[in-house]
Amino acid sequence: MAAPREAPQRRPFGRRFLTDPARLFQHNAWDNVEWSEEQEASAKSKVQENSSQLLPQDKQEEYEVNAKRYWDDFYKIHENGFFKDRHWLFTEFPELAPNRKPSQNEDSVHEFSYKEESNNEGLGSCENGHCTLETRAENQLNLVKSTPTFCTEELAPQKYSELNQSYGDYPGSSASYRILEVGCGAGNTVFPILQTNNDPGLFVYCCDFSTTAVDLVQNNAEYDSSRCFAFVHDLCNDQSPFPMPDESLDVVILIFVLSAILPEKMQCIVNRLSRLLKPGGMILLRDYGRYDLAQLRFKKGQCLSDNFYVRGDGTRVYFFTQDELDDLFTRAGLEKIQNLVDRRLQVNRGKQMTMYRVWIQCKYQKPAAPQ
C-alpha cells in the first residue's frame, strides 16, 4: 500500500505522532488515519484479485459442517495462553461498567488498548490471510472474536433454563443489570467485566460455540458462578434456548463474533439477540471492516463469497461496511447510537513494516417502552 498523503492529526493514547519517517518505527500505532484515493483503489484491487476464485461448493459445505471441530481444535492448541484481557472495553464501551469513574485506571486502560490493538493480527509473518502460530501468539484481538455459532448439542444448563424460565427461576434472575457476551472464547472479556464492574446487581452470561472454550472459562480461578453463567450455545439454531428470557438483558456484546458467521444467517441472529434486550438495552459490536489488512492478505482460493473467507485453520471471517451493519441492526428494530470506522496505521518495528487496520464499532439500542 502507498503511504498516506498526510500525517494523521490525532494522537494515539497520548503518544506523540512523529512526522519524520526515520523515526516512524520507534512507535506502534496511530488512529483515525485517513486513506488516500490511491490506497483505497489498491485495496479494492487486491480484494478483487483474491476473490476472483471461489472455493468449490463442496469445500464450503465441509467448513460449515466441521465448524465446531475447527474451533475446538483451536482452543485445545492454545487454551487460554493465546489471549489477554480487554480492559480497553471500558473506554470504548462504558456501558459495561456504568458506575465506573471516568478516571479509574484511565492511563492503564489506554495503554492496554494501544498495546493490544497494535499487536493484532498482521504484525508478523502472516500467509494466506492467516498468521503462523508463532505470530498469532503475539496477537490479542484476532480470533478472540471467538467462535462462529453453528450446530452443537445442548448442555444441561440450557435445558434447565427452558424448564424454569416461565417461573422466573433462571441463572441471574435476581440481578438488576445483566450482560451477555456472545463468543466468549477463553473469557478475556468476561473476567475484566467481573473485575471492573462491582455492582452487586450485576450478572454476566457468556456463551461460545466451542465446548473447549466454555470449559476454559468455567475452570478459570476467577469464575464466580454467583455472578456469571457460561454455557455452550448455537446461535444459528432457532431451537437452541437461551438461559434467560426475552427482554431481560441490558447489554449484549459482540466482539469479533458476527464476522465468523455465514452472511445469510446474520440477520436471524441479530433478530434473536434483539429480542433478549430490555427496552433501552443495547448491543455493542466491534468487528472487521472492509479492506482491513487481514482481508487484503488472503490469497486466491480462500474466498467463500463476497468479502467472506476461510483461514488456514478452517475458521472463517467476513469484512463489513458500516451500511451492512446498520441494515442488520435497524431491520432488527434497533436504533443507531454509534456506527464508526476505526482506521489504524500500525507498525512492526522489528520488521519495519507499516500496516493498515480497519475495524467497525457500533452501538445499537432497543427503543424504550412507550410511557
Side-chain angles (χ1 to χ4, degrees), residues 45 48 93 206 244 260 269 273 312:
S45 176
Q48 289 174 353
F93 300 131
C206 57
M244 77 292 289
I269 287 168
L273 295 175

Side-chain angles (χ1 to χ4, degrees), residues 27 33 35 54 58 63 65 77 90 118 147 305:
H27 295 267
V33 175
W35 282 25
L54 297 182
D58 60 334
Y63 286 118
V65 170
I77 293 171
F90 306 105
S118 65
T147 55
S305 59

Side-chain angles (χ1 to χ4, degrees), residues 70-344:
Y70 289 125
W71 282 105
D72 277 336
D73 288 348
F74 172 80
Y75 286 107
K76 286 175 183 177
I77 293 171
H78 298 285
E79 295 187 340
N80 58 0
F82 180 80
F83 306 111
K84 293 187 179 180
D85 293 344
R86 291 174 173 169
H87 282 90
W88 59 269
L89 284 169
F90 306 105
T91 301
E92 301 297 333
F93 300 131
E95 296 84 0
L96 300 178
N99 297 323
R100 175 177 171 269
K101 296 178 181 178
S103 60
Q104 180 183 344
N105 298 326
E106 185 169 321
D107 291 339
S108 60
V109 168
H110 278 76
E111 180 68 12
F112 193 97
S113 173
Y114 174 82
K115 289 181 179 179
E116 181 169 355
E117 295 188 348
S118 65
N119 284 329
N120 195 3
E121 178 189 13
L123 292 188
S125 54
C126 301
E127 297 296 335
N128 296 328
H130 203 71
C131 300
T132 63
L133 295 183
E134 180 180 0
T135 298
R136 287 170 61 191
E138 302 171 359
N139 304 335
Q140 284 83 42
L141 286 180
N142 176 25
L143 292 178
V144 154
K145 70 171 132 214
S146 290
T147 55
T149 44
F150 302 99
C151 296
T152 186
E153 311 83 15
E154 302 300 332
L155 293 186
Q158 294 172 308
K159 295 178 180 178
Y160 167 88
S161 70
E162 190 175 23
L163 292 173
N164 292 279
Q165 278 184 19
S166 60
Y167 299 98
D169 181 15
Y170 59 92
S173 58
S174 61
S176 58
Y177 198 78
R178 302 185 190 94
I179 296 173
L180 166 66
E181 187 198 8
V182 180
C184 62
N188 61 309
T189 294
V190 171
F191 294 122
I193 293 174
L194 294 173
Q195 293 162 3
T196 303
N197 190 336
N198 296 317
D199 181 352
L202 172 71
F203 197 86
V204 180
Y205 306 90
C206 57
C207 64
D208 204 287
F209 183 55
S210 168
T211 54
T212 304
V214 173
D215 285 343
L216 288 170
V217 173
Q218 293 177 335
N219 292 323
N220 190 298
E222 297 187 38
Y223 183 74
D224 181 354
S225 60
S226 69
R227 303 182 70 214
C228 183
F229 184 71
F231 58 102
V232 174
H233 188 76
D234 177 8
L235 272 179
C236 292
N237 180 0
D238 288 342
Q239 304 306 310
S240 178
F242 285 100
M244 77 292 289
D246 288 351
E247 297 196 350
S248 63
L249 297 178
D250 295 275
V251 175
V252 172
I253 314 169
L254 296 168
I255 306 294
F256 296 100
V257 173
L258 199 58
S259 56
I261 295 167
L262 283 175
E264 56 264 34
K265 295 186 177 182
M266 291 178 184
Q267 186 65 66
C268 179
I269 287 168
V270 173
N271 292 348
R272 290 190 70 203
L273 295 175
S274 175
R275 291 197 293 269
L276 293 175
L277 290 174
K278 298 176 182 177
M282 194 174 297
I283 289 182
L284 310 178
L285 173 140
R286 189 171 179 85
D287 220 319
Y288 293 100
R290 191 69 47 84
Y291 307 137
D292 178 63
L293 168 73
Q295 181 177 18
L296 305 186
R297 286 192 165 180
F298 280 104
K299 306 299 182 184
K300 287 183 181 179
Q302 291 183 278
C303 187
L304 304 170
S305 59
D306 288 347
N307 305 296
F308 190 47
Y309 302 82
V310 62
R311 299 186 180 90
D313 64 1
T315 61
R316 294 168 292 179
V317 59
Y318 186 83
F319 297 88
F320 292 100
T321 65
Q322 289 173 279
D323 288 344
E324 286 173 339
L325 287 168
D326 185 69
D327 189 58
L328 285 172
F329 290 122
T330 54
R331 283 176 178 269
L334 303 180
E335 298 176 345
K336 181 173 69 174
I337 304 299
Q338 181 188 75
N339 184 328
L340 57 85
V341 175
D342 182 1
R343 297 179 185 269
R344 302 233 173 166

Side-chain angles (χ1 to χ4, degrees), residues 54-64 303-304 316:
L54 297 182
L55 207 65
Q57 188 60 37
D58 60 334
K59 287 289 186 181
Q60 295 199 32
E61 293 173 359
E62 179 183 334
Y63 286 118
E64 171 75 359
C303 187
L304 304 170
R316 294 168 292 179

